[in-house]
Amino acid sequence: MDGLNVSIAFFLLVVGVCQVLRWLSKRLLSPGTHGCLAREFAGSFQLCMSCLELRMLMDIGPWGGGFGLDVVLTLLFLLSAVHGASFDGASANPSVSLQEFLLLESSLAVTVAKLLAQGVGAGTGWALTRLYWSWELSQLHFIQNLIAPECSSSIHTSLPQAAFVEGSCSFLFHFVLLRMRQSHPLYRVPALAATVTFLTYTAAPFTGAFFNPALATATTFQCSGSSFWDYIQVYWLGPLAGMLAALLLFQGNIPRLFQKNLLYSQKSKYKVPKAKVTAQVEGDKPQRRKKEGKSNSEPRA
């Protein structure tokens, strides 16, 4: 269990360093620069390093560390909750940033800046994690350092099925995200953490369950076994298609592309109280009859 303790200390150190980076960027940078660059860089950096260390535990832990998948899934849930609580509004996911652009919540320049920051953060996290593994602080890191240069592709099924799996994971994640985005963080953070844990447990044997283009690019694109175009289809086009499907199902339209609701009919905000109108009409009938009776009872000339 010494290797597990070293990994837990590594997770705490990464989160602490990224929190300091967020605090410094708030103090030293303008709000726009902090929101577009520093916040997304810190989020992607934190997510990538945590994901790489966690996947190392998932791959080597059962036979090299003496702990099972339940320990890794528990760590995944806790880390996902910590990420959701500490990201300070950053998405660290290109699909989420593009979703915000399609919802008219950010401009094109801001979206491009976020995508660049996410790519740089994920790449920096990958490089520093490889350096950290080279120190071989535990037996698990020693084994990982030996097999890292010969990593194989995370795609363990046919290409269409792999793209469908990543797209389905992205669809479910984005649908829950859209459904919970207005909820209190006390409910939103555990719900998203549980969703990520469930999707990873279900889809990891097939594609690794990234459903994050920046994270997949930094962690698996350099591995052999699949071509670059295969990776593009599975880890970029699949999650983007899932995001678009979730947005269309939830909204009924894509605001950036068209305003008309394609799936749901828009009901009028003002409803006519039919019951009252009927009551008034029925109540007017006796009065009209009385008036007609009076007019008939008048003597005619």
Side-chain angles (χ1 to χ4, degrees), residues 2-189:
D2 292 338
L4 183 61
N5 294 332
V6 172
S7 296
I8 292 176
F10 172 76
F11 293 140
L12 296 176
L13 178 62
V14 169
V15 173
V17 169
C18 290
Q19 282 295 97
V20 173
L21 180 60
R22 294 185 187 96
W23 180 79
L24 289 175
S25 64
K26 278 186 177 180
R27 297 289 299 271
L28 301 177
L29 301 177
S30 63
T33 305
H34 167 72
C36 295
L37 299 177
R39 191 168 60 183
E40 292 293 340
F41 173 85
S44 296
F45 178 79
Q46 176 179 330
L47 181 63
C48 183
M49 295 189 76
S50 300
C51 178
L52 285 170
E53 184 73 5
L54 193 62
R55 288 190 175 276
M56 183 272 299
L57 294 177
M58 186 180 294
D59 294 336
I60 304 177
W63 56 272
F67 51 88
L69 185 61
D70 55 339
V71 176
V72 179
L73 291 177
T74 302
L75 283 175
L76 174 60
F77 175 81
L78 294 176
L79 283 173
S80 299
V82 170
H83 292 337
S86 63
F87 272 8
D88 192 24
S91 64
N93 189 334
S95 297
V96 178
S97 298
L98 290 174
Q99 174 184 284
E100 294 172 353
F101 172 72
L102 295 175
L103 286 171
L104 304 177
E105 295 178 354
S106 63
S107 63
L108 179 60
V110 171
T111 302
V112 172
K114 287 182 178 181
L115 296 179
L116 292 176
Q118 290 163 4
V120 174
T124 305
W126 174 81
L128 290 182
T129 304
R130 293 290 297 270
L131 177 63
Y132 158 71
W133 286 340
S134 67
W135 297 342
E136 299 179 359
L137 299 180
S138 68
Q139 184 69 19
L140 298 178
H141 292 156
F142 173 75
I143 299 173
Q144 175 64 30
N145 198 37
L146 289 177
I147 65 177
E150 300 178 358
C151 66
S152 58
S153 172
S154 298
I155 302 175
H156 301 297
T157 183
S158 63
L159 195 62
Q161 186 175 1
F164 176 77
V165 168
E166 285 291 311
S168 300
C169 290
S170 178
F171 171 81
L172 292 174
F173 172 76
H174 282 276
F175 192 83
V176 173
L177 179 64
L178 289 167
R179 182 67 182 83
M180 303 293 296
R181 63 190 316 213
Q182 301 297 334
S183 303
H184 192 275
L186 186 63
Y187 306 106
R188 183 178 67 251
V189 171

Side-chain angles (χ1 to χ4, degrees), residues 105-292:
E105 295 178 354
S106 63
S107 63
L108 179 60
V110 171
T111 302
V112 172
K114 287 182 178 181
L115 296 179
L116 292 176
Q118 290 163 4
V120 174
T124 305
W126 174 81
L128 290 182
T129 304
R130 293 290 297 270
L131 177 63
Y132 158 71
W133 286 340
S134 67
W135 297 342
E136 299 179 359
L137 299 180
S138 68
Q139 184 69 19
L140 298 178
H141 292 156
F142 173 75
I143 299 173
Q144 175 64 30
N145 198 37
L146 289 177
I147 65 177
E150 300 178 358
C151 66
S152 58
S153 172
S154 298
I155 302 175
H156 301 297
T157 183
S158 63
L159 195 62
Q161 186 175 1
F164 176 77
V165 168
E166 285 291 311
S168 300
C169 290
S170 178
F171 171 81
L172 292 174
F173 172 76
H174 282 276
F175 192 83
V176 173
L177 179 64
L178 289 167
R179 182 67 182 83
M180 303 293 296
R181 63 190 316 213
Q182 301 297 334
S183 303
H184 192 275
L186 186 63
Y187 306 106
R188 183 178 67 251
V189 171
L192 290 174
T195 302
V196 170
T197 304
F198 169 75
L199 293 176
T200 302
Y201 172 75
T202 305
F206 303 101
T207 61
F210 292 99
F211 50 94
N212 183 329
L215 186 61
T217 302
T219 56
T220 194
F221 270 43
Q222 75 280 0
C223 295
S224 60
S226 299
S227 65
F228 181 77
W229 176 240
D230 292 342
Y231 287 131
I232 292 292
Q233 294 181 73
V234 174
Y235 296 115
W236 285 12
L237 299 183
L240 291 178
M243 179 270 293
L244 290 174
L247 182 58
L248 186 61
L249 181 63
F250 184 82
Q251 289 279 123
N253 69 334
I254 299 178
R256 178 70 66 174
L257 303 180
F258 42 83
Q259 297 295 328
K260 183 179 179 181
N261 198 307
L262 302 178
L263 300 180
Y264 311 113
S265 60
Q266 297 180 350
K267 298 181 180 180
S268 176
K269 297 181 180 179
Y270 306 99
K271 296 182 178 180
V272 180
K274 297 181 179 180
K276 294 183 178 180
V277 173
T278 305
Q280 292 177 1
V281 171
E282 292 178 352
D284 290 344
K285 288 182 179 179
Q287 295 180 2
R288 292 178 181 176
R289 290 177 180 176
K290 289 181 181 180
K291 290 181 180 180
E292 290 177 357

